[in-house]
Amino acid sequence: MRMMAGNGTAEWVVDRTTEQTPADDVSAPLMSVVVPTCGRPKLARRCLLALLRQGLVPESFEIIVVDDGHGQVTRQLVAELAHDGQPRLRYLCQQPCRGPAAARNAGWRCARGPIIAFTEEDTVPEPDWLLEGWRALAEHPDWVAVAGRVVVPAQRRGQLPAAREWLSRGAEHADFATANAFVRRGVLMRVNGSEDRFRRTGHEDADLEFRLLALAGPVGRAPLATVLHPMQS
């Protein structure tokens, strides 16, 4: 396991064959998945297990988990889930806590794939999520990004919605949400990623979409690229 430090983040690369492999010794994947997380290891595990079950060959994508300032528990989770024959798992620890927008920026800036797939720790991507997102951008080379479909499973009858549940419903109806978005890495470099002055989830997604449209080009839709976003109590 090799630690790389710089710009306030520390990276532990957990390779699928050996923990001694340097980060730049493997060929670039087609896609890089960036998952920011903050102190919710059970949800992160559920999300990562769904990502490891994607219907693409393991060499075609990598998964970058960006831990917003918590450290040991999530790092151990990534190490536990990294196995031979699976997609490459990488772990970054962002110190101090700077919020999800800054975590996403840290993730895509160290990514190797030309397409960045964004999701969140509390989602459950469908098995063909990455394939459908990649296909949408491949079929529309003029699109700079695509927004996938966020599905919030039906709530049990009689339950009252909590604050996090309202946030989940917002992602379901948003035009563009980083719970399910695919962006070309070169475009993220052009617009300088998410605006990390937003420390809480919400406004940074709309801001990124507006800047993509204004500075880079069209943002399309990938309705078959689906993630579930179960409500949290």
Side-chain angles (χ1 to χ4, degrees), residues 14 44 54 64 78 80 83 96 98 114 118 123 130 132 136 141-142 146 157 164 174 176 186 192 202 217 220 233:
V14 183
Q54 291 295 298
I64 302 170
V78 173
E80 173 193 338
H83 296 291
R98 298 177 56 206
F118 291 110
T123 68
L130 284 177
E132 294 297 344
D142 57 318
V146 296
R157 181 176 296 182
R164 286 188 183 274
F176 183 90
N192 201 29
S233 58

Side-chain angles (χ1 to χ4, degrees), residues 15-152:
D15 190 81
R16 59 181 176 268
T17 55
T18 170
E19 292 187 350
Q20 302 301 321
T21 304
D24 55 358
D25 277 3
V26 295
S27 58
L30 293 175
M31 306 178 75
S32 298
V33 184
V34 174
V35 185
T37 183
C38 184
R40 295 196 285 176
K42 290 184 179 180
L43 295 179
R45 175 186 290 273
R46 183 182 67 184
C47 178
L48 292 175
L49 288 174
L51 290 172
L52 291 172
R53 290 192 284 263
Q54 291 295 298
L56 297 178
V57 295
E59 294 78 13
S60 64
F61 68 102
E62 64 178 352
I63 303 167
I64 302 170
V65 180
V66 189
D67 192 0
D68 194 19
H70 285 264
Q72 281 293 92
V73 175
T74 304
R75 180 170 66 86
Q76 290 170 359
L77 169 63
V78 173
E80 173 193 338
L81 294 178
H83 296 291
D84 187 18
Q86 291 188 165
R88 194 162 193 246
L89 280 169
R90 302 172 63 191
Y91 172 86
L92 279 74
C93 184
Q94 180 168 259
Q95 295 281 4
C97 299
R98 298 177 56 206
R104 289 186 200 101
N105 286 340
W108 73 258
R109 284 182 175 128
C110 81
R112 296 177 186 82
I115 295 175
I116 309 299
F118 291 110
T119 192
E120 296 176 353
E121 63 183 359
D122 53 356
T123 68
V124 183
E126 294 282 275
D128 58 354
W129 174 63
L130 284 177
L131 174 62
E132 294 297 344
W134 176 85
R135 178 178 288 156
L137 285 174
E139 292 176 350
H140 300 275
D142 57 318
W143 289 358
V144 301
V146 296
R149 181 175 173 232
V150 177
V151 175
V152 178

